[in-house]
């Protein structure tokens, strides 16, 4: 059997391990908020990359639509629909990114408040 690492354990197994190994260590709110903030920051960064990619797709679809304006009507309508779909996808990606950034900022504010509370 291969040697296990923390990454190999499931969520429940990790929680069980934490509860058994660290029963006398005080878990501070700032530690938990810090971990949550790190994961939210990573999520926001990923959504930011998706927003950039959706923006590139929307830009290419718009260029294709503009190029098709003097062409056949069927192609023009297909390109216009593709552009509108890409525009909607970009809007969704932008809103998801903004929500993730707002959650990240809220966690940071909560973390700062907890730091002030824990200081003597």
């Amino acid at each position: 059997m291969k040697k296990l690492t923390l990454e190999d354990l499931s969520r429940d197994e990790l929680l069980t391990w934490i509860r058994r190994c660290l029963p006398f260590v005080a878990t501070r709110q700032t530690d938990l908020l810090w971990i949550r903030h790190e994961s939210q920051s990573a999520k926001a960064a990923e959504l930011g990359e998706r927003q950039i990619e959706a923006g590139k797709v929307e830009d290419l679809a718009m260029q294709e639509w503009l190029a098709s304006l003097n062409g056949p009507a069927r192609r023009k309508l297909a390109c216009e629909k593709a552009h509108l779909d890409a525009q909607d996808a970009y809007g969704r990606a932008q809103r998801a990114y903004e929500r993730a950034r707002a959650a990240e900022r809220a966690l940071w504010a909560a973390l700062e408040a907890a730091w002030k509370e824990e200081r003597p």
Side-chain angles (χ1 to χ4, degrees):
M1 182 172 176
K2 77 173 194 144
K3 191 173 185 177
L4 288 177
T5 63
L6 288 177
E7 290 80 19
D8 296 328
L9 300 178
S10 70
R11 178 184 184 278
D12 292 333
E13 291 168 337
L14 280 172
L15 287 173
T16 302
W17 178 77
I18 290 168
R19 287 185 185 112
R20 283 186 186 161
C21 294
L22 305 172
F24 303 109
V25 176
T27 303
R28 297 180 311 177
Q29 186 65 24
T30 52
D31 295 334
L32 299 175
L33 285 169
W34 182 261
I35 291 169
R36 176 69 55 89
H37 180 266
E38 281 183 347
S39 65
Q40 186 62 40
S41 294
K43 180 181 176 182
E46 179 184 333
L47 290 171
E49 291 296 321
R50 287 186 191 176
Q51 179 190 7
I52 290 169
E53 290 301 317
K56 289 177 184 177
V57 169
E58 192 268 337
D59 187 48
L60 290 173
M62 182 177 189
Q63 290 175 14
E64 186 71 26
W65 174 62
L66 290 173
S68 73
L69 287 178
N70 295 328
R74 186 172 282 195
R75 184 174 179 334
K76 182 175 87 172
L77 289 174
C79 289
E80 183 177 11
K81 182 182 180 326
H83 174 249
L84 291 173
D85 290 345
Q87 211 172 25
D88 288 343
Y90 176 72
R92 285 190 305 274
Q94 186 176 19
R95 288 188 299 277
Y97 174 69
E98 288 169 358
R99 282 191 306 271
R101 290 288 295 167
E104 182 184 15
R105 286 189 295 274
L107 281 166
W108 186 257
L111 180 59
E112 285 182 329
W115 273 335
K116 289 178 185 175
E117 236 178 64
E118 288 182 1
R119 288 186 189 152

